[in-house]
Amino acid sequence: MTFSAFALPASRSEKAAPAVIGADEQRLADIDRALIAARDDVERRLAAARRIDGDGQDAMDRDIAVYGLVARQTVLRRFAIDLCLGKIVSTAGEELYIGRTGLVSPEGKRLLIDWRAPAAEPFFAATHQNPMGLVMRRRFRWKLGRVVDFWDEVFDPATLDGDVALDDQSAFIRSLGSSRTSQMRDVLGTIQADQDAIIRANSADALVVDGGPGTGKTVVALHRAAYLLYADRRISERGGGGVLFVGPNDRYLSYVDDVLPSLGEDSVTIATLRRLTPEGERALPEADPRVAALKGSARFEDAIARIVRSYERVPSEQMVLPTSWADVEIEPEDWAEAIEAADDGTPHNDAQGVVWEELLDILTAKVEEMPPHLARRELENHAGLREVFEKVWPMLDPAGLVGALWTSPRLLAGVTPWLSDDERALLARERADAWTTVDLPLIDAARDLMGDPAMTARRRQRERALVAERERIETVVDYLSDTDEDGEGVSLMLGAADMQERLIDEGALPTLTIDQLAGPFAHVIVDEAQELSDAEWRMLIRRCPSKSFTIVGDRAQARHGFTQSWEDRLARVGITRVSVSHLTINYRTPAEVMAEAEPAIRAAIPDANVPTSVRASGIPVRRGPIASLDALLDEWLAANAEGTACVIGSALAAERERVTALSAAEAKGLEFDLVVLVEPKALGGGIEGAVDRYVAMTRATKELVILEG
């Protein structure tokens, strides 16, 4: 072989012995050849699929085939032989190589097992207590397409035939301490047994992943999304709703943006809570925690529903409608019958058209002086009837209604009997549309109850255009029938209803935009879930009525306190079938940093789930004066050609590459080689201040510096 897949440094030359890596060299060479063949095959199949014509089911089948082939092509182009994560050897002597995706040679030999397949589970889940039929496991560490390290774990030395490279997982520990970048590292090859068990857990109900800083909660959540799309047919089949992944902020989403594509999945919908509503783009954080607490209550949904119902009342008096043939009497019973035609679950705005059509039917049936179709046509275009109807069943604006709550003391008082006068005064503001993030779940609830008026208008526009198109086609068919003397020509064929439907030009009709974030989704994964209010939980449940959730969080990182159990907390919002898994091993934060961070959180939350670090950086936590910040950063950048740093608690005097300044809340979920915490006492007192200090300290993967005074 003229090219070696291994580029082991001199310090690990003993691992390069042919007896140790010879079989791997051959397998990786086979993978290289198979990759070339697989790429060519996918490109041929993709080109053929795109040439397929047709509509209806044929078009759907073609689109599904193209979608799957493009996803496969993306993975095969993105990776070379580093598709391979490592291998396992069973007690029967069978070797299985595990990959990011499955791979077969042109001759039909299985070269790689997809990491999500059941056969690959022991690669992640086997332990010395439960080896799962393995005698050995080898994990590769890749850099620039070559293996720069690997480590072996032997479960049964007596039955192992061959050489291994035992180093007490030092390669694994080295991988944990590698430099960070602006995006989350690729950690698939180092998934641990406790994490893998959660990734592969059943998705029927709600699963809580509770873990402290550095335990890999986010890693588990992202890999679980990819696993469920592979393993759960209910979720993976198109039309099943798919997976929604919700993160705490936009910076966090940028940080994890590349993880799922690296796992071959680009169909997961990723969003923050504020992205779930159009108003979220310009919503500001709520500055007053008292207002946030009040609006976070799910009781406001009841208030909004009460307002909507007030616009659906039956008139109590008879109305007289003048028409060209006579006066038509509209009784309260007529309105009641028309309103009954709307199903209870239909949003108010969407139901308006149903009620209108039913009212026209009722009134037309009363007419004896004119042909029904002529009477209905006049009633349908009667300005007076439409004006009255709009008062009985008006089109409502969800955002406008929520804004009116804060600008109309009388309206707010009428629907919130549980609030005091002082609490209502807190909620009052001058501008109705001065949105804050705590308004968004309420707007979302209002939109769910009412329907989007703009979407309803577009739907009606499309329906009217469709009716006009059908009438046009019917007119043409009638003309052709009149000119077709024997009645057996083209007019006979066009007389069939399904043929006329085929003649409709869909491209000429108004298009309906689909809100991809409205759901429903088959499964929702939410990170930093300890911060969500009741109203925000309801927002997510509306998008996942099955309540199939993966809920990731840490009670000790809840800025406003979290005294309940997860089960009690979720039961409050209607999620009752819950299982809780705990992660207790800290893979990110060095022991030196955790020794400083643990007392900071235990002072406020004695029962905090503080994880145990598996490694030490050898760098003690340093302290110094605030005036040394610039010099400290310059010194660190000069000494470290790679890695990222974050300053928490202070703005940067001068912008620097690889250095960012964040608040503790903004840094949540992120990680940096160096964290500089400025004036930790300034973060405040109580639980919120303790949590912010704890979060800030535990972002460090190598070094923490605290500056004061």
Side-chain angles (χ1 to χ4, degrees):
M1 299 177 62
T2 57
F3 171 80
S4 173
F6 288 81
L8 300 171
S11 60
R12 292 186 275 282
S13 59
E14 73 283 356
K15 292 184 175 183
V20 178
I21 64 171
D24 297 338
E25 287 271 29
Q26 184 58 57
R27 177 57 62 96
L28 293 172
D30 292 342
I31 289 171
D32 187 42
R33 288 190 292 270
L35 268 173
I36 296 172
R39 292 186 190 116
D40 291 344
D41 178 62
V42 167
E43 289 178 5
R44 284 194 299 270
R45 291 164 59 196
L46 187 57
R50 284 171 169 160
R51 288 195 296 268
I52 296 175
D53 292 325
D55 51 20
Q57 186 62 44
D58 291 339
M60 184 177 295
D61 292 343
R62 177 198 62 215
D63 291 345
I64 291 173
V66 169
Y67 178 84
L69 288 168
V70 168
R72 176 74 170 169
Q73 183 185 57
T74 300
V75 175
L76 294 178
R77 283 179 173 177
R78 181 187 182 105
F79 295 98
I81 54 176
D82 52 352
L83 274 174
C84 182
L85 304 173
K87 71 177 180 180
I88 51 179
V89 181
S90 71
T91 54
E94 181 186 19
E95 288 189 341
L96 291 179
Y97 285 78
I98 313 303
R100 297 175 179 279
T101 185
L103 187 66
V104 178
S105 73
E107 299 76 31
K109 179 182 177 181
R110 174 65 65 179
L111 299 177
L112 287 175
I113 304 292
D114 191 296
W115 70 274
R116 296 166 289 188
E121 184 176 357
F123 180 79
F124 305 98
T127 64
H128 286 277
Q129 291 74 30
N130 178 24
M132 301 180 70
L134 299 188
V135 296
M136 189 268 275
R137 167 173 56 206
R138 173 170 293 176
R139 300 183 194 243
F140 295 139
R141 184 180 174 198
W142 294 89
K143 186 174 182 179
L144 301 178
R146 300 181 75 184
V147 178
V148 295
D149 204 354
F150 63 90
W151 66 101
D152 295 338
E153 297 160 86
V154 176
F155 302 103
D156 188 358
T159 60
L160 186 64
D161 181 20
D163 291 293
V164 295
L166 297 175
D167 61 357
D168 194 27
Q169 288 196 304
S170 63
F172 170 55
I173 300 300
R174 283 193 294 272
S175 72
L176 297 177
S178 61
S179 297
R180 267 48 178 184
T181 67
S182 61
Q183 290 198 309
M184 178 175 278
R185 294 179 309 134
D186 175 11
V187 296
L188 177 57
T190 60
I191 294 291
Q192 299 298 291
D194 58 340
Q195 299 170 331
D196 184 70
I198 296 170
I199 290 169
R200 297 175 189 267
N202 187 282
S203 65
D205 299 321
L207 171 66
V208 174
V209 184
D210 181 86
T215 54
K217 300 185 299 296
T218 299
V219 166
V220 166
L222 291 164
H223 287 73
R224 180 162 168 75
Y227 173 79
L228 291 177
L229 286 166
Y230 174 88
D232 193 328
R233 292 184 62 85
R234 177 181 60 87
I235 293 173
S236 61
E237 289 177 352
R238 294 190 75 188
V243 175
L244 171 66
F245 187 100
V246 179
N249 53 58
D250 288 331
R251 182 181 289 273
Y252 168 94
L253 293 190
S254 297
Y255 179 60
V256 303
D257 183 63
D258 195 49
V259 174
L260 285 165
S262 76
L263 299 173
E265 293 295 348
D266 59 2
S267 60
V268 176
T269 302
I270 298 179
T272 60
L273 284 168
R274 68 163 61 222
R275 290 188 188 181
L276 299 182
T277 64
E279 295 77 12
E281 185 175 352
R282 55 192 178 93
L284 299 174
E286 177 54 61
D288 192 331
R290 297 171 299 171
V291 172
L294 290 172
K295 291 184 179 180
S297 168
R299 300 185 72 175
F300 267 105
E301 289 189 27
D302 298 331
I304 293 168
R306 197 174 297 123
I307 297 172
V308 173
R309 286 194 295 271
S310 72
Y311 286 102
E312 299 174 353
R313 291 178 180 170
V314 175
S316 58
E317 297 180 356
Q318 181 191 73
M319 299 179 186
V320 178
L321 183 73
T323 67
S324 64
W325 63 87
D327 289 344
V328 176
E329 296 178 348
I330 311 177
E331 306 289 347
E333 293 79 9
D334 298 329
W335 287 109
E337 184 180 347
I339 290 172
E340 280 290 321
D343 294 334
D344 290 340
T346 305
H348 173 90
N349 292 333
D350 295 345
Q352 190 193 60
V354 176
V355 177
W356 172 249
E357 292 297 325
E358 184 69 16
L359 180 65
L360 291 177
D361 288 344
I362 293 168
L363 298 183
T364 301
K366 290 185 174 187
V367 177
E368 297 178 353
E369 298 86 353
M370 290 186 70
H373 71 283
L374 295 178
R376 182 183 176 91
R377 182 175 298 174
E378 181 173 336
L379 288 169
E380 191 171 12
N381 294 286
H382 197 295
L385 177 60
R386 173 59 79 172
E387 182 180 353
V388 171
F389 177 76
E390 292 287 356
K391 292 179 180 178
V392 174
W393 197 286
M395 187 72 70
L396 300 178
D397 174 22
L401 187 149
V402 173
L405 281 172
W406 320 136
T407 56
S408 172
R410 183 178 178 181
L411 176 63
L412 183 62
V415 295
T416 57
W418 70 90
L419 294 179
S420 68
D421 290 341
D422 289 343
E423 287 172 328
R424 294 190 190 103
L426 271 177
L427 299 177
R429 68 188 187 211
E430 293 185 5
R431 279 191 54 192
D433 63 348
W435 305 122
T436 66
T437 51
V438 293
D439 290 321
L440 304 181
L442 305 182
I443 297 173
D444 188 69
R447 190 167 280 117
D448 184 64
L449 287 166
M450 302 176 199
D452 185 339
M455 177 62 74
T456 301
R458 287 194 296 271
R459 190 181 298 114
R460 289 181 184 173
Q461 183 185 12
R462 180 180 173 85
E463 289 170 355
R464 289 193 295 269
L466 185 59
V467 169
E469 181 72 359
R470 284 173 176 155
E471 290 177 350
R472 183 185 67 81
I473 292 172
E474 188 176 349
T475 300
V476 173
V477 171
D478 289 344
Y479 172 78
L480 291 174
S481 296
D482 292 341
T483 59
D484 187 4
E485 296 180 357
D486 58 11
E488 297 181 356
V490 69
S491 64
L492 180 63
M493 180 176 64
L494 293 177
D498 60 339
M499 180 58 70
Q500 292 185 30
E501 287 295 316
R502 286 175 175 267
L503 293 175
I504 294 175
D505 182 6
E506 292 284 341
L509 300 177
T511 57
L512 293 177
T513 57
I514 298 175
D515 183 359
Q516 300 292 347
L517 295 174
F521 293 92
H523 191 80
V524 172
I525 299 174
V526 53
D527 204 353
E528 302 295 348
Q530 73 276 354
E531 303 290 2
L532 268 60
S533 68
D534 288 2
E536 289 169 332
W537 273 116
R538 293 286 187 90
M539 193 177 187
L540 294 177
I541 291 171
R542 281 191 287 274
R543 286 159 175 78
C544 188
S546 68
K547 299 177 184 176
S548 174
F549 282 92
T550 298
I551 297 161
V552 182
D554 179 12
R555 293 169 60 245
Q557 294 186 61
R559 300 183 74 238
H560 305 296
F562 197 131
T563 57
Q564 297 174 291
S565 68
W566 277 107
E567 292 90 340
D568 291 342
R569 173 70 186 88
L570 295 170
R572 199 169 79 198
V573 293
I575 303 176
T576 55
R577 295 183 308 208
V578 179
S579 60
V580 181
S581 294
H582 296 279
L583 294 173
T584 59
I585 300 174
N586 190 335
Y587 298 102
R588 176 182 69 214
T589 317
E592 296 89 344
V593 173
M594 285 308 298
E596 187 83 24
E598 183 171 354
I601 194 62
R602 289 217 187 276
I605 308 174
D607 65 341
N609 176 14
V610 179
T612 302
S613 294
V614 298
R615 66 185 180 91
S617 66
I619 305 174
V621 175
R622 290 190 287 155
R623 294 179 180 272
I626 295 176
S628 66
L629 175 60
D630 286 335
L632 185 151
L633 293 175
D634 291 339
E635 177 187 348
W636 183 84
L637 286 169
N640 295 271
E642 295 180 336
T644 59
C646 181
V647 177
I648 298 177
S650 175
L652 291 173
E655 292 295 323
R656 295 169 173 83
E657 189 177 356
R658 298 191 286 127
V659 180
T660 187
L662 301 172
S663 68
E666 291 171 332
K668 188 173 286 188
L670 308 180
E671 55 185 25
F672 306 90
D673 295 277
L674 168 69
V675 168
V676 181
L677 176 55
V678 179
E679 285 286 20
K681 290 181 181 179
L683 295 178
I687 288 179
E688 184 171 328
V691 167
D692 282 350
R693 282 186 287 275
Y694 182 56
V695 168
M697 292 178 185
T698 55
R699 300 309 95 196
T701 65
K702 291 182 180 178
E703 185 176 3
L704 171 65
V705 179
I706 299 174
L707 302 182
E708 298 174 292

